[in-house]
Amino acid sequence: MLDVRERDGAVTVSVRVRPRSRPTVSVEEEGLVISVAAPPERGRATEEARRALAEALGVPPSAVALRTSAAARQKVFSVTGVEAAEARSRLLRTVSG
């Protein structure tokens, strides 16, 4: 289930980051999963996930910022430039097609 919410003038998206994997964006039982090739070292996997989320949402990478959980696999990103309903729709389009 996708956890996409309006919060504090931006959209928050909960993401599980799967490092050292074939790069994909999928929806699984735990929610949105972004698999990245980068290892979980010095924020490299998080940065790759941030850029992948921006691409999936059709916004510039600068519109996506890490909100919580820098060292954990479950993260929350804040996104500007898109509303929650549109973000949810774009993510579902990305994973289905």
Side-chain angles (χ1 to χ4, degrees), residues 29-68:
E29 280 185 27
E30 64 263 28
L32 183 65
V33 177
I34 299 179
S35 299
V36 298
E41 298 168 353
R42 296 186 304 267
R44 290 170 54 194
T46 300
E47 176 60 17
E48 199 171 313
R50 184 183 71 83
R51 290 180 174 276
L53 180 59
E55 184 177 338
L57 291 171
V59 298
S62 61
V64 179
L66 182 64
R67 186 175 174 118
T68 63

Side-chain angles (χ1 to χ4, degrees), residues 59-79:
V59 298
S62 61
V64 179
L66 182 64
R67 186 175 174 118
T68 63
S69 308
R73 289 189 182 184
Q74 189 69 36
K75 302 178 185 304
V76 177
F77 289 94
S78 178
V79 184

Side-chain angles (χ1 to χ4, degrees), residues 3 6 10 12 19 22 25 34 52 54 58 69 72-73 76-77 80 93:
D3 186 5
E6 296 274 347
T12 60
R22 185 173 60 91
V25 177
I34 299 179
S69 308
R73 289 189 182 184
V76 177
F77 289 94
T80 58
R93 261 193 315 253

